[in-house]
Amino acid sequence: MAQVMDPGAAAGASAELGRVTHWIDGARVEGTSGRSGAVYDPATGRQTKSVDFASVDEVARAVASARAALPGWRSTSLSRRTEIMFRIRNLVDVRRKELAALLTAEHGKVPSDALGEIARGLENLEFACGIPHLMKGGFSEQVSGGVDVYQIRQPLGVVAGITPFNFPAMVPMWMFANAIATGNTFILKPSEKDPSPALFLAELLKEAGVPDGVFTVVQGDKVAVDAILHHPDIKAVSFVGSTPIAKYIYETGTANGKRVQALGGAKNHMVVLPDADIDMAADAAVSAAYGSAGERCMAISVVLAVGDAGDPLVEAIKARLPKIKVGPGSDPTAEMGPLVTKQHRDAIVGHLESGAEQGAELVVDGRRDPLYDPDDGGFFLGVSLMDRVTPAMDSYRAEIFGPVLQVMRVDTYADAMKVIDANPYGNGTAIFTRDGGAARQFQFDVEVGMVGINVPIPVPVAYYSFGGWKASLFGDTHMYGPDGIAFYTRAKVVTSRWPDPGTSAVDLGFPRTR
Ligand code: NAD
């Protein structure tokens, strides 16, 4: 059977391509559809692997396996499921460097960033270790004479997760930790751009004692996604990715009777008031805009500089940019890696061009980085700073999803709020100020799901839930945390009375409680 290449081998010069398979019934399974996709090492630009793309029949086989595993897993005791969740958590912890190397090899993010992603994913595994507490229901004694009422939460059945390229380990952990801890069986369809971390996690889960069929991976593209959305045995779908696909997943999944939570794209604004500590704001803007090459849905992509904050802030940000070390993950001094694909890198360059054409000032141009080569090599682009951006510009209206920070100058706090309100996205936002009253007003006013006060990337910890508003999320529940438990379970309310022949009588009236 073909094996996925070792993490370290991915960046090598071997002409032989590794093959990334599915994971069904607790084992790697080679695809039979005859279709596959290329996986690149973004730091060299070379194809290193080929990933199998599932057919409708292969998805059906995966669902059948997940369905067969359901009765056994559902009835596994909470204590045993907890023990397994602890083991998964420990294995991911111990093997985190290998997992991080896989992220670097296929996504391109530098090791420190890859390890950061895994650390945040681990928090979700740790949350799920508390599943006995999280699954507790409620009990009301004596709601009527001799009658008790209680609510229990039960798993949905077979559930699926469809994940984006930018967090190939963490976003699957957002989903499967709570999904399997609550007693569901879970099918993961990872991004075809960096599919190997899913298989690595599958092996760790098996080692931890997860029974075959409880965690399944189907690799693929739209064919696999559509097969998931139409399969009658899949009860719920969690999705994270771009807004047009999130909307499609939500509409198609719910039309087929599934519970769906679909998280979409973002354009995150950071408001800097004139009273803010400019150095602190500049540090935060640079960290949040260029970390992971800007390929984060919570990246700051626009700074709204209010009043006098504009000039000193742009100067302070500009002064920090030459110090950012762009390079491959193999360079221990590199702070920012390449983009995920050449196509994505070129699209970002297109935004730089259109921004400049439409009147923005390119204060720092990432194309000047020595590693940027439009024709050859890795998919590198340096950091860019675009000042005097306006809402009408194409580059502002797009989710650039790259190492480009845009600055928009506004006169007042109210003008800043108008810009945020008019933007279709509502994932994350931040305000930088020393004024507690202004910050509190911002938190009250802003139509965005995750808010930072002097914190630029306010990703909630695992015991809260993650989710944006407006076009950044389709569905009712946010992801992971308490909302994740609610999403993957349904409530059942039992009204119970034990036989007492002395009080038994025929009564056709509506049940009364008093
Ligand atoms: P994407 O939407 O292109 O792909 C996401 C998933 O959908 C992948 O598994 C892909 O195979 C599948 N897919 C792609 N096109 C499809 C189609 N036409 N039909 C059915 N399935 C399809 O997103 P991406 O480029 O992998 O990830 C980047 C995007 O994800 C950005 O927009 C980013 O903001 C967003 N994102 C959002 C969050 C969040 O929490 N809101 C988190 C991470 C990433």
Side-chain angles (χ1 to χ4, degrees):
M1 182 182 287
Q3 294 291 307
V4 173
M5 291 170 79
D6 291 334
S14 165
E16 197 177 318
L17 294 181
R19 181 170 182 178
V20 188
T21 67
H22 311 300
W23 180 272
I24 302 172
D25 275 333
R28 289 172 193 257
V29 173
E30 288 186 5
T32 54
S33 72
R35 294 189 318 117
S36 61
V39 180
Y40 293 91
D41 175 358
T44 62
R46 284 199 297 270
Q47 184 182 351
T48 53
K49 300 172 193 169
S50 166
V51 55
D52 295 339
F53 281 1
S55 63
V56 174
D57 287 346
E58 287 170 303
V59 172
R61 181 183 161 190
V63 178
S65 163
R67 197 177 167 191
L70 188 63
W73 184 241
R74 239 206 91 174
S75 50
T76 298
S77 74
L78 270 174
S79 303
R80 172 76 183 143
R81 293 211 302 261
T82 305
E83 182 183 25
I84 290 173
M85 293 313 299
F86 268 100
R87 284 204 197 131
I88 296 171
R89 185 262 168 219
N90 288 344
L91 281 168
V92 173
D93 179 30
V94 170
R95 307 281 299 275
R96 62 169 91 192
K97 280 198 178 149
E98 292 159 78
L99 182 54
L102 267 183
L103 303 192
T104 300
E106 295 184 4
H107 174 284
K109 59 180 72 179
V110 296
S112 56
D113 191 30
L115 286 165
E117 166 178 350
I118 295 165
R120 292 308 297 263
L122 268 167
E123 290 180 12
N124 297 103
L125 295 172
E126 286 161 1
F127 178 78
C129 289
I131 197 63
H133 179 67
L134 298 165
M135 289 287 274
K136 273 186 197 161
F139 191 98
S140 298
E141 188 184 47
Q142 194 71 354
V143 299
S144 180
V147 178
D148 303 325
V149 174
Y150 47 98
Q151 178 179 290
I152 50 182
R153 296 208 74 90
Q154 297 188 328
L156 303 179
V158 180
V159 299
I162 300 163
T163 52
F165 80 82
N166 66 324
F167 288 115
M170 181 182 76
V171 171
M173 288 191 255
W174 282 3
M175 299 174 181
F176 80 73
N178 288 335
I180 67 172
T182 47
N184 301 280
T185 56
F186 183 83
I187 298 175
L188 173 64
K189 205 302 282 173
S191 169
E192 64 276 35
K193 297 189 179 97
D194 40 20
S196 298
L199 288 186
F200 187 84
L201 287 167
E203 292 196 326
L204 295 189
L205 265 64
K206 184 172 173 107
E207 193 181 335
V210 172
D212 296 350
V214 171
F215 183 81
T216 299
V217 180
V218 285
Q219 309 283 6
D221 58 357
K222 182 170 167 56
V223 173
V225 171
D226 284 345
I228 287 170
L229 294 175
H230 289 95
H231 199 297
D233 288 342
I234 294 181
K235 301 301 176 199
V237 176
S238 300
F239 173 87
V240 176
S242 60
T243 287
I245 310 298
K247 189 163 184 283
Y248 169 75
I249 300 281
Y250 183 76
E251 288 173 352
T252 312
T254 52
N256 286 315
K258 301 181 198 316
R259 190 179 281 194
V260 180
Q261 52 178 187
L263 279 60
K267 188 89 180 177
N268 303 317
H269 299 78
M270 170 171 155
V271 179
V272 181
L273 297 187
D275 74 336
D277 180 321
I278 292 296
D279 281 326
M280 182 183 172
D283 285 339
V286 170
S287 313
Y290 305 110
S292 205
E295 291 172 321
R296 289 180 183 147
C297 65
M298 289 292 277
I300 288 295
S301 46
V302 185
V303 165
L304 289 168
V306 179
D308 295 342
D311 287 344
L313 186 61
V314 169
E315 276 311 306
I317 293 172
K318 185 180 166 193
R320 283 157 172 77
L321 299 193
K323 296 174 200 144
I324 295 177
K325 176 80 191 290
V326 180
S330 56
D331 175 353
T333 64
E335 295 168 285
M336 190 186 106
L339 279 310
V340 69
T341 58
K342 175 174 169 19
Q343 189 189 30
H344 184 48
R345 194 265 318 268
D346 293 348
I348 297 166
V349 168
H351 292 306
L352 295 178
E353 285 164 1
S354 85
E357 277 163 24
Q358 292 172 13
E361 188 186 328
L362 218 45
V363 179
V364 177
D365 185 341
R367 290 170 291 187
R368 300 221 177 100
D369 189 280
L371 287 175
Y372 172 67
D373 181 343
D375 301 318
D376 196 19
F379 311 136
F380 288 99
L381 179 65
V383 297
S384 297
L385 178 62
M386 212 190 261
D387 194 7
R388 303 194 186 278
V389 170
T390 67
M393 290 178 183
D394 292 331
S395 59
Y396 172 75
R397 291 146 68 97
E399 181 192 19
I400 298 177
F401 217 57
V404 180
L405 179 60
Q406 300 187 302
V407 178
M408 198 179 284
R409 314 268 187 138
V410 290
D411 290 333
T412 62
Y413 167 84
D415 293 337
M417 291 305 296
K418 271 189 211 143
V419 173
I420 299 176
D421 282 350
N423 194 280
Y425 298 109
N427 212 42
T429 188
I431 188 164
F432 278 69
T433 178
R434 290 187 172 98
D435 182 339
R440 188 175 180 281
Q441 192 63 42
F442 181 73
Q443 156 202 311
F444 184 81
D445 290 336
V446 75
E447 297 229 357
V448 172
M450 293 171 283
V451 179
I453 296 175
N454 297 312
V455 172
I457 310 185
V459 174
V461 287
Y463 37 97
Y464 285 81
S465 297
F466 181 108
W469 287 12
K470 294 156 74 178
S472 295
L473 188 147
F474 301 86
D476 303 318
T477 48
H478 289 193
M479 203 159 283
Y480 70 72
D483 273 21
I485 301 296
F487 181 77
Y488 290 121
T489 57
R490 52 187 170 169
K492 186 180 274 179
V493 180
V494 181
T495 303
S496 121
R497 178 170 66 178
W498 291 98
D500 178 358
T503 60
S504 178
V506 173
D507 181 355
L508 300 192
F510 196 74
R512 294 177 298 270
T513 55
R514 54 182 95 168

